[in-house]
Amino acid sequence: MGSDRAPQHKKVCVVGAGMSGLAAARELRREGHTVTVMEQRGDVGGQWLYDPRTDADDPIGAAAPVKVHGSMYASVRLISPRECMGFSDFQFVPRPGAAGRDARRFPARHEVYCYLRDFCAAFGLDDAVRLNTRVLRIAMAPQCEEARGGEVRWMVRSVHVEPDGSEDGVAVEEVFDAVVVANGHYSQPRLPKIQGMEEWSRRQLHSHSYRVPDPYRDEVVVIVGCGDSGLDIAVELSGVAKEVHLSVKSVEAATTPAVSKMLANHAGMRLHPQVDRLCEDGQVVFADGSSVVADTVIYCTGYLYSFPFLDTGGVVTVDDNRVGPLLEHTFPPALAPSLSFVGIPMRVFVPWFLEAQARWVAQVLSGTAALPPEQEMMRAVQEDYRARETAGFPARYSHDIGLLKTSEISGFVKRYTDLPDMEDWKMELFLKAFGNMNHDRETFQDRDDYSDNVREGVQRWLSVAGAQYQDAIAAAAAPGGGDADADAAQVVPPLHKPMPVPLKSEL
């Protein structure tokens, strides 16, 4: 839905400088908006900026908000190929000549951080990011002379923070025409309700507070949850712990070829049904009546959406982990387009989907794209809720797009953006890698059993995308370079759309 109006340039605040926030900042600038990205940490990267600290006083993350934003453990590697992860015009190519880089197809976490840093440099985003800045409150600003035509504007209160997270100085208030919330959803732990959790005196933590395996040496560890993080941590701990016990909702569903191989490879690893209760003497009792005496319980049970800074007067709420109402997981109808969210959906391809969301938001704010009337947007939201309910999914899965219908992902991108389609060899590579992971989780990242079609596609990709990446970085580093997104865009023309990689999820 386009618009014939002259483009409008607005003052926009973006909350968070992770992958979602950087995607938003780049697209907003492309549309001519003035952008301020507020990031509470000392660098960009979001979860990919590794933080060795943990919430030591609250390792299970019962309090909200958590003090430490980072949830990534030290050993994380990507679970999808780098060729299938990248912005449409800035591919995630290996840079083997650069110091400290990881050129593997499935690189470690630091490589993604370096890629995001390069993205900032190539598109001149550094001067838009205000680091060490915590957003305390975002609320609708009182109507004033600056307001145009009764449009909602936003008062953003922020404060400078020290590297240890302590606030330093007096809070500052600024008014913005629009706010894009992009603070991620992998920080606030989602905890199960298990009898005895509050009384159990031994160590309990959420994977949010897991970093390295050494503290669990020679221990008996129970891991609750069998998603990506649960399996990663189980394998890692099997090298140091005395025993590792995996607790899952359904033993039958969890006994995949990959899990079966893990159990066969590690003598001290066991699979159990759900935990029924925790006992004061250290026993962990499972639903089938079996039990173990454990030293540590680690909850790998996912995360909650959390926006402690956002005050919409009840217009936008989080109910059973559903953020709503949101049109296409992006715009709250009553406050659109001045308030939007980028990065809410789960089980989508990133950063491609984030790029599409951000581009849609930027164009709606500039007036080059238009939204339906509020009532029509609300009807669309309610129809989506009903479809998910009919399919048997509770409210907490509202933003799990791929769970209901994967065509929603590509459909969204085609409806609201001009991002080009994915090349067939990338889809083949992605599906082959996914199949390998489901067959053998411990070896799939180091296999190279791909077809000639994939190999030829990779070679073409390396020659074209690699040169563009290098040129973009060189142009940004040159005197006067990196000041305008237009300069970088000239150096890095749009490529065929990649098939991006899902963020690590805990199911």
Side-chain angles (χ1 to χ4, degrees):
M1 291 170 288
S3 173
D4 295 329
R5 295 183 301 170
Q8 303 173 42
H9 298 157
K10 297 188 176 182
K11 180 182 178 184
V12 186
C13 174
V14 177
V15 182
M19 192 176 283
S20 297
L22 295 177
R26 196 271 294 267
E27 296 302 327
L28 287 163
R29 276 196 161 182
R30 279 183 161 171
E31 284 292 306
H33 302 295
T34 300
V35 183
T36 300
V37 182
M38 296 189 183
E39 169 55 52
Q40 65 180 329
R41 301 179 65 188
D43 202 351
V44 303
Q47 289 295 341
W48 299 105
L49 176 61
Y50 178 68
D51 190 343
R53 300 175 304 150
T54 64
D55 284 291
D57 297 333
D58 182 22
I60 66 171
V66 292
K67 294 179 181 178
V68 176
H69 181 76
S71 298
M72 190 160 288
Y73 38 99
S75 63
V76 165
R77 282 181 71 182
L78 292 184
I79 59 172
S80 288
R82 70 185 306 141
E83 295 92 339
C84 304
M85 178 179 180
F87 290 93
S88 63
D89 52 0
F90 194 72
Q91 301 285 287
F92 189 19
V93 295
R95 301 189 70 203
R101 300 300 291 263
D102 183 348
R104 292 177 295 178
R105 170 161 284 156
F106 299 88
R109 55 174 174 77
H110 183 70
E111 177 73 359
V112 184
Y113 160 74
C114 292
Y115 169 68
L116 294 175
R117 285 291 320 141
D118 285 350
F119 179 77
C120 279
F123 294 96
L125 299 179
D126 284 314
D127 63 349
V129 181
R130 193 182 298 173
L131 299 173
N132 300 306
T133 302
R134 177 177 295 143
V135 174
L136 301 176
R137 186 170 186 263
I138 297 176
M140 286 174 272
Q143 292 296 319
C144 59
E145 293 181 4
E146 294 182 75
R148 296 188 297 271
E151 292 181 356
V152 175
R153 304 185 79 212
W154 298 90
M155 180 72 74
V156 178
R157 183 187 302 157
S158 64
V159 67
H160 182 269
V161 292
E162 295 295 329
D164 64 0
S166 60
E167 295 177 5
D168 174 33
V170 180
V172 175
E173 289 190 339
E174 302 163 84
V175 176
F176 290 87
D177 298 315
V179 168
V180 179
V181 179
N183 65 323
H185 50 81
Y186 291 98
S187 289
Q188 189 64 49
R190 178 174 61 195
L191 295 169
K193 294 180 180 179
I194 297 174
Q195 180 183 340
M197 280 181 67
E198 295 183 359
E199 293 79 26
W200 210 62
S201 59
R202 302 193 180 191
R203 179 162 52 190
Q204 299 180 81
L205 67 149
H206 189 273
S207 57
H208 166 71
S209 295
Y210 177 85
R211 295 294 182 269
V212 294
D214 292 348
Y216 312 94
R217 187 171 296 279
D218 299 323
E219 289 192 350
V220 174
V221 180
V222 172
I223 295 176
V224 180
C226 198
D228 291 322
S229 295
L231 295 178
D232 280 355
I233 293 171
V235 170
E236 185 165 72
L237 289 182
S238 67
V240 298
K242 181 180 179 181
E243 297 173 9
V244 176
H245 298 268
L246 269 170
S247 170
V248 298
K249 289 183 178 180
S250 167
V251 171
E252 182 180 4
T255 309
T256 63
V259 170
S260 296
K261 278 194 169 79
M262 286 171 53
L263 296 172
N265 291 341
H266 303 283
M269 189 181 295
R270 300 286 186 274
L271 190 64
H272 301 269
Q274 292 185 117
V275 174
D276 179 68
R277 64 188 184 276
L278 305 179
C279 304
E280 291 185 12
D281 63 0
Q283 280 195 88
V284 177
V285 182
F286 301 100
D288 62 357
S290 64
S291 66
V292 296
V293 177
D295 301 290
T296 298
V297 176
I298 303 177
Y299 302 105
C300 298
T301 48
Y303 294 88
L304 298 170
Y305 294 98
S306 179
F307 315 102
F309 50 83
L310 185 61
D311 179 4
T312 63
V315 175
V316 179
T317 61
V318 181
D319 184 16
D320 193 18
N321 217 32
R322 171 193 279 169
V323 185
L326 295 180
L327 175 69
E328 300 273 25
H329 315 274
T330 306
F331 288 106
L335 297 171
S338 68
L339 179 66
S340 60
F341 295 77
V342 172
I344 291 288
M346 299 176 63
R347 222 186 303 239
V348 295
F349 305 122
V350 299
W352 176 53
F353 193 93
L354 308 178
E355 188 177 6
Q357 271 193 300
R359 186 167 298 186
W360 185 33
V361 169
Q363 292 178 348
V364 169
L365 285 174
S366 69
T368 57
L371 292 174
E374 180 182 338
Q375 293 80 3
E376 189 176 328
M377 289 192 281
M378 280 301 303
R379 281 197 297 271
V381 173
Q382 294 302 326
E383 287 172 6
D384 179 65
Y385 289 171
R386 282 194 294 271
R388 292 176 185 280
E389 183 179 355
T390 301
F393 298 117
R396 63 181 176 275
Y397 294 122
S398 294
H399 306 298
D400 197 334
I401 296 182
L403 184 64
L404 177 59
K405 190 167 57 177
T406 54
S407 61
E408 274 193 66
I409 301 169
S410 58
F412 174 92
V413 177
K414 289 179 180 179
R415 281 194 299 276
Y416 301 115
T417 76
D418 57 355
L419 290 174
D421 286 334
M422 172 184 59
E423 294 162 283
D424 64 343
W425 68 267
K426 288 185 178 179
M427 175 59 93
E428 182 183 341
L429 171 59
F430 177 84
L431 293 176
K432 177 64 173 176
F434 183 74
N436 285 346
M437 181 179 71
N438 288 336
H439 182 259
D440 191 339
R441 191 177 182 90
E442 295 184 74
T443 65
F444 81 97
Q445 289 158 318
D446 299 312
R447 291 172 63 171
D448 189 21
D449 53 349
Y450 302 99
S451 71
D452 289 340
N453 182 48
V454 168
R455 294 177 189 279
E456 291 167 5
V458 169
Q459 289 306 310
R460 292 193 302 270
W461 177 78
L462 285 172
S463 63
V464 176
Q468 291 170 335
Y469 193 116
Q470 298 290 354
D471 289 345
I473 296 300
D483 295 329
D485 179 69
D487 294 336
Q490 290 173 4
V491 176
V492 190
L495 296 173
H496 290 292
K497 177 185 69 183
M499 182 69 167
V501 60
L503 287 172
K504 294 190 72 63
S505 61
E506 294 180 276
L507 306 177

